[in-house]
């Protein structure tokens, strides 16, 4: 969740009056404390968090009642607490308003979000000056107790909810196509018990849950990829079917009997059984195009489900939009909806309706084009346990690689985008995608004239390169020249920046530092991005240059490419936000003769470094003192004299000898001794 901007608070010199900050804290904590109708999922984490916020509410309320000004040292703590409380409200509200089933599936993730917030609360309370606040002993004890509890808190995942989630996964994984053939149908009693335990007890509850799942699918469509949307659609199918079974009375018994008799007379010839004599078909089992009972349900790119034959005819007739939503289909893959197919089989068995696969569905032009990618049938399975999930990733990767190899530019773009998402999380995913043969095809797509394809391809390679073995495979595929080309003249700035990040990732391996540095265009292209890129792009370029400059032979190339003036310029640009990265590269370049000479030419650098000794980060201070010491040694008398005449230099160095890191203290001592010798020699010249 994205943080909202904090409201302004009133500030003066000395003590700060209670103002907007305190009022905001009281308002937000009161909103949370007053929450009712707790969610069925994450109930313990939610109730425990509300209890903690109530204690803080008592503290804030008492501070306001005293009408005493806030000590300045409390402002940082209260600001941090406001950030935590605001995110707590968003998290609890999300649990209350979101889908209970999806929350159950995400139980570990959401539980960890509660844990992170509790730990942040504890860190904020670390700096709360209780002794300076005019509060009663009772409130003080309560806050101290809350502080201790927050520091000791451990991740809590409700075992009962975990068991329910595993039960639901077991029900769903037992109903794939293989088990359908073996009559492995859903245990409705067990399923009803699980759904009831998370608050689904009436038809209205089921309708609301379906709406929430549909909203979640819409939300995930842009970022979650096909797998997540398919998972949510499977849940929608499950809830819809459960509703129709659980809340349907015996009103269809007569129709069932009629169907049974007609079926017996017709020897179950499906062609002789009209749709008009079927029992009331649940809406979720009807194809939105034909309005008939679906035989082979498939999911299209928009997330909607259709009968395979109907949607294939729609696409073959030249349509490239979803019939239900009107949304343009970004790819034409038809993904089997196994969960709905399982539910359809069960419904047909319960109602004595013969279900025969549509014979024509396999003979369409669309299907013939998809026969080369038969693994599509298994590419995206329903929500599964870990092994099944890994198998699904493997089949998805193989299917997408097939699309990279043989698809149209539009299909290639979508396949590269899906691989980019799939490679974004999990080392196993990155390994599986590489094993499926994706890397050579992605490298080929780097030279595409389509900006989307190029950007998706280079970003997919960036994500894959996080897995160390893939670094070797990417280099072996001859990717580096193409990556440099994208870095230098990519179709979009994001593509160029991600190419720089890929070079940074690849250069973590020493052999790659040598190979990349040996390419004449690589370092100048990084320096070019350092000049032209966005803040993120400049940071990517600086970190890549740092990695390459670790190898001594590359240092001179970085200097010759004109990096030094740019890096010093970035030190003076507060908005650039890469001070530490620029300092780190300059400190490395000091290690070669060309770098030392170029850095010494800049007269504005010394006062900048003195200021950074005082106000920089710990790492920034280390690199600043490294630079100053290197500039003053070995013929750096002029720099030393400039340091001596600067009134801020000696106090800054003395401060660093006591407050700096071990490395910074050692170098500050060495520089002070060097300056002392320089000062002595100037007063006692050798004759």
């Amino acid at each position: 969740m994205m943080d909202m901007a904090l409201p302004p608070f009133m500030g003066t010199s000395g003590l700060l009056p209670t103002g907007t900050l305190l009022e905001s804290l009281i308002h937000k904590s009161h909103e949370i404390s007053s929450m009712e109708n707790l969610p069925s999922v994450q109930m313990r984490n939610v109730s425990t968090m509300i209890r903690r916020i109530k204690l803080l509410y008592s503290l804030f309320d008492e501070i306001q009642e005293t009408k005493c000004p806030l000590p300045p040292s409390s402002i940082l703590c209260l600001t941090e607490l406001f950030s935590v409380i605001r995110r707590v409200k968003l998290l609890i509200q999300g649990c209350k308003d979101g889908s209970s089933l999806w929350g159950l599936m995400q139980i570990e993730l959401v539980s960890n979000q509660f844990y992170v917030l509790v730990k942040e609360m504890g860190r904020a309370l670390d700096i709360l000056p209780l002794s300076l606040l005019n509060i009663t002993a009772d409130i003080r004890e309560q806050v101290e107790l809350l502080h201790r509890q927050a520091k000791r808190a451990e991740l809590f995942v409700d075992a009962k909810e975990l068991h329910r989630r595993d039960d639901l996964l077991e029900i769903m994984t037992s109903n794939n196509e293989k088990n359908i053939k073996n009559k492995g149908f859903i245990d409705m009693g067990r399923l009803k018990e699980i759904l009831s335990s998370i608050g689904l007890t009436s038809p209205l509850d089921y309708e609301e849950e379906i709406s929430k799942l549909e909203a979640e699918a819409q939300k995930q469509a842009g970022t979650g990829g096909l797998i997540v949307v398919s998972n949510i659609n499977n849940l929608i199918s499950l809830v819809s079917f459960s509703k129709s079974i659980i809340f349907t009375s015996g009103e269809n018994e007569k129709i069932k009997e009629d169907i049974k008799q007609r079926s017996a007379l017709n020897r179950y010839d499906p062609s002789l059984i009209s749709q008009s004599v079927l029992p009331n078909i649940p809406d979720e089992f009807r194809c939105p195009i034909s309005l008939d009972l679906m035989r082979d349900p498939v999911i299209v790119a928009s997330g909607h489900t259709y009968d395979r034959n109907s949607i294939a005819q729609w696409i073959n007739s030249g349509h490239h939009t979803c019939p239900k939503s009107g949304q343009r289909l970004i790819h034409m893959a038809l993904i089997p909806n196994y969960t709905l197919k399982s539910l359809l089989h069960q419904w047909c068995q319960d109602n004595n309706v013969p279900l025969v696969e549509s014979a024509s569905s396999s003979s369409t032009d669309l299907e013939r084009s998809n026969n080369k990618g038969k693994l599509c049938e298994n590419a995206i399975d329903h929500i599964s346990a870990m092994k099944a999930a890994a198998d699904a990733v493997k089949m998805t990767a193989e299917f997408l690689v097939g699309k990279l190899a043989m698809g149209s530019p539009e299909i290639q773009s979508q396949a590269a985008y899906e691989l980019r998402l799939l490679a974004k999380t999990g080392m196993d995913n990155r390994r599986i995608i590489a094993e499926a043969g994706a890397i050579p095809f992605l490298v080929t797509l780097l030279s595409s004239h389509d900006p989307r394809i190029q950007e998706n391809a280079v970003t997919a390679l960036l994500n894959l390169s996080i897995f160390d073995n893939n670094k070797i495979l990417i280099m072996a595929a001859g990717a580096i020249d193409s990556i440099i080309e994208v870095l230098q003249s990519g179709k979009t700035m994001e593509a160029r920046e991600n190419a720089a990040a890929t070079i940074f990732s690849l250069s973590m391996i020493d052999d790659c530092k040598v190979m990349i540095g040996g390419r004449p265009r690589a370092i100048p292209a990084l320096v070019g991005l350092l000049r032209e890129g966005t803040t993120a792009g400049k940071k990517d370029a600086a970190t890549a240059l740092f990695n390459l400059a670790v190898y001594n032979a590359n240092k001179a190339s970085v200097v010759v490419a004109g990096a030094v003036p740019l890096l010093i310029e970035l030190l003076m640009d507060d908005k650039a936000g890469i001070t530490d990265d620029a300092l780190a590269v300059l400190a490395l370049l000091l290690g070669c003769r060309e770098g030392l000479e170029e850095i010494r030419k800049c007269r504005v650098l010394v006062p900048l470094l003195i200021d950074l000794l005082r106000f920089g980060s710990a790492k920034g201070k280390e690199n600043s003192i490294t630079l100053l010491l290197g500039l003053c040694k070995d013929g750096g008398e002029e720099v030393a004299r400039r340091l001596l005449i600067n009134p801020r230099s000696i106090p800054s160095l003395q401060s660093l000898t006591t407050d700096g890191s071990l490395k910074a203290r050692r170098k500050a001592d060495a520089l002070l001794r060097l300056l002392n010798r320089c000062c002595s020699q100037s007063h006692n010249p050798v004759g």
Side-chain angles (χ1 to χ4, degrees), residues 340-354:
L340 182 58
K341 194 167 188 177
S342 169
L343 300 173
L344 271 167
H345 274 253
Q346 181 165 345
W347 182 86
C348 289
Q349 187 195 51
D350 292 345
N351 291 276
N352 297 305
V353 176

Side-chain angles (χ1 to χ4, degrees), residues 2 11 13 186 196 201 251 265-266 343 358 379 405 447 477 499 520 554 580 634 665 676-677 685:
M2 293 185 65
S13 59
I186 288 176
S196 177
T201 57
E251 63 185 15
L265 288 171
N266 295 325
L343 300 173
S358 175
S447 57
N554 290 335
D580 286 354
D634 302 327
R665 291 200 304 268
N676 188 45
R677 286 199 302 273

Side-chain angles (χ1 to χ4, degrees), residues 383-539:
I383 300 175
S384 55
M386 291 300 291
K387 185 178 183 304
D391 290 341
V393 171
K394 181 175 183 290
M395 290 186 285
T396 302
E398 290 171 346
F399 165 62
L400 293 172
V401 170
K403 294 299 180 186
L404 285 182
M406 303 173 65
S408 65
E410 188 172 4
I411 294 294
Q412 286 180 326
S413 177
Q414 177 61 21
Y417 175 72
E418 292 297 335
L419 285 169
R420 166 184 178 173
L421 291 179
L422 201 57
K424 195 172 182 179
T425 54
M427 289 300 183
D428 281 342
N429 286 8
R430 294 169 187 132
R431 173 183 56 78
I432 290 167
I433 292 168
E435 288 172 356
I439 289 173
F441 293 108
L442 290 169
V443 171
T444 301
L445 293 180
L446 291 175
S447 57
S448 170
H449 296 296
D450 186 324
R452 294 173 306 160
I453 293 177
Q454 186 184 74
E455 185 175 303
N456 287 329
V458 74
T459 310
L461 287 170
L462 166 62
N463 293 339
L464 288 171
S465 71
I466 296 169
F467 182 59
D468 279 347
N469 193 55
N470 287 350
K471 291 179 171 66
I472 298 166
L473 296 177
I474 291 169
M475 295 297 287
I480 192 59
D481 288 325
S482 297
I483 293 170
I484 293 169
E485 179 63 30
V486 175
L487 170 65
Q488 192 171 39
S489 53
K491 306 294 182 188
T492 66
M493 183 56 75
E494 185 175 349
R496 292 181 62 193
E497 291 172 354
N498 287 343
T502 307
I503 288 177
F504 163 73
S505 178
L506 294 173
S507 61
M508 299 294 286
I509 295 178
D510 289 340
D511 287 347
C512 294
K513 291 182 177 71
V514 179
M515 292 174 65
I516 296 169
R519 297 297 200 277
R521 293 188 302 156
I523 289 173
L526 287 169
V527 173
L529 186 63
L530 195 65
R531 181 186 302 107
E532 303 161 5
T534 65
T535 298
K538 289 176 179 177
K539 187 175 182 66

Side-chain angles (χ1 to χ4, degrees), residues 568-638:
I568 294 172
E569 188 177 319
L570 288 170
L571 290 181
M572 297 185 284
D573 186 359
D574 293 333
K575 294 179 181 178
I578 62 165
T579 301
D580 286 354
D581 300 297
L583 281 170
V585 180
L586 287 169
L588 269 181
L589 297 180
L590 204 62
C592 74
R593 179 180 54 80
E594 295 87 345
L596 179 59
E597 289 174 0
E598 189 69 21
I599 294 169
R600 275 180 176 164
K601 288 178 185 176
C602 181
R603 298 193 63 84
V604 300
L605 181 60
V606 170
L608 272 176
L609 294 176
I610 294 169
D611 286 340
L612 288 168
L613 287 180
R614 301 166 66 201
F615 305 117
S617 67
K619 196 67 183 172
K621 289 177 180 179
E622 281 187 12
N623 284 320
S624 296
I625 190 65
T626 299
L627 279 162
L628 286 171
L629 183 59
L631 290 170
C632 290
K633 289 166 65 177
D634 302 327
E637 292 80 9
E638 183 187 348

